[in-house]
Amino acid sequence: MPSNVQSALYPAAAALAEGKLLVDGMLGEHKAIVGLVSELAGLTRAVPAAAAARALAALFAVHLDKENRLVVPLLVGAADVSLAGLLAGMHDLLVEATPAAGGGCGGGSCGCGGDAPAGVGEAPVLSIDPRLDVRDLPHGQRHATVLAALDRLGAGDALILVAPHAPRPLVAEIDQRYGGAVATEWLQDGPQVWQIRLSRTLAPR
């Protein structure tokens, strides 16, 4: 995750009793990633360079997965933390960093198939909005986690829901709860991973 995202999320997570050790471990991984980048930059032979690159890619993938599965849900569940507020301005920062992107910018059983094993397919980054990956959460916690995150979004803010099945009952619950104040955009429609952009079109009541 970009360092500006780290500076926004990590202090808030570290301030939580259940997040301090997690953040300490994440910062340790950051040092390891930086070390591998430095090592790779100094290599001139193909085989060692390929090995270092493979190690770097593997570590970064694990690190990013932890941020999506552990850090973001931890902040979503914190009563006094606004995830949207922490990430305010990230859209412009990321667009500036990637000009090639085009410039300018519940719980319980719901019958939605959520008790099926988590999808093992890839969930590519399809948006610069923060991601809420619920694939490894217990099924009974998914709806409540998503609704709590939406409650904290301001008008114009959005998040990407990553799910192991098509969460149509959850989308229907969102429509009923927010009365059209949350727009849905299906970005990835299976077969193992589903991604939906949920954006607040009106400010929370």
Side-chain angles (χ1 to χ4, degrees), residues 40-70:
L40 183 59
L43 294 174
T44 57
R45 294 193 302 165
V47 173
R54 184 177 180 86
L56 176 61
L59 178 57
F60 185 77
V62 171
H63 183 77
L64 186 61
D65 179 65
K66 286 182 180 178
E67 287 180 334
N68 286 326
R69 288 190 306 105
L70 301 177

Side-chain angles (χ1 to χ4, degrees), residues 147 169-182 205:
L147 295 175
L170 173 58
V171 171
E173 184 177 351
I174 290 171
D175 289 340
Q176 182 178 19
R177 178 184 177 103
Y178 297 101
V182 174
R205 297 176 181 176

Side-chain angles (χ1 to χ4, degrees), residues 37-205:
V37 170
S38 298
E39 177 185 345
L40 183 59
L43 294 174
T44 57
R45 294 193 302 165
V47 173
R54 184 177 180 86
L56 176 61
L59 178 57
F60 185 77
V62 171
H63 183 77
L64 186 61
D65 179 65
K66 286 182 180 178
E67 287 180 334
N68 286 326
R69 288 190 306 105
L70 301 177
V71 178
V72 172
L74 177 64
L75 295 172
V76 166
D80 57 347
V81 174
S82 169
L83 185 61
L86 290 174
L87 296 178
M90 283 305 304
H91 186 279
D92 293 336
L93 288 172
L94 288 174
V95 169
E96 289 174 5
T98 55
C105 232
S109 177
C110 65
C112 61
D115 293 319
V120 295
E122 293 186 5
V125 177
L126 303 175
S127 167
I128 61 176
D129 300 299
R131 287 156 51 105
L132 178 56
D133 192 336
V134 301
R135 288 177 293 173
D136 289 332
L137 288 180
H139 181 243
Q141 297 179 13
R142 292 175 186 168
H143 285 214
T145 299
V146 174
L147 295 175
L150 290 175
D151 283 342
R152 293 182 175 88
L153 292 182
D157 294 325
L159 62 82
I160 305 301
L161 170 63
V162 183
H165 60 84
R168 300 188 189 281
L170 173 58
V171 171
E173 184 177 351
I174 290 171
D175 289 340
Q176 182 178 19
R177 178 184 177 103
Y178 297 101
V182 174
T184 59
E185 179 184 358
W186 295 71
L187 302 179
Q188 183 179 2
D189 193 11
Q192 294 175 308
V193 179
W194 281 254
Q195 296 194 61
I196 305 175
R197 186 175 189 268
L198 302 173
S199 58
R200 290 297 297 253
T201 57
L202 297 174
R205 297 176 181 176

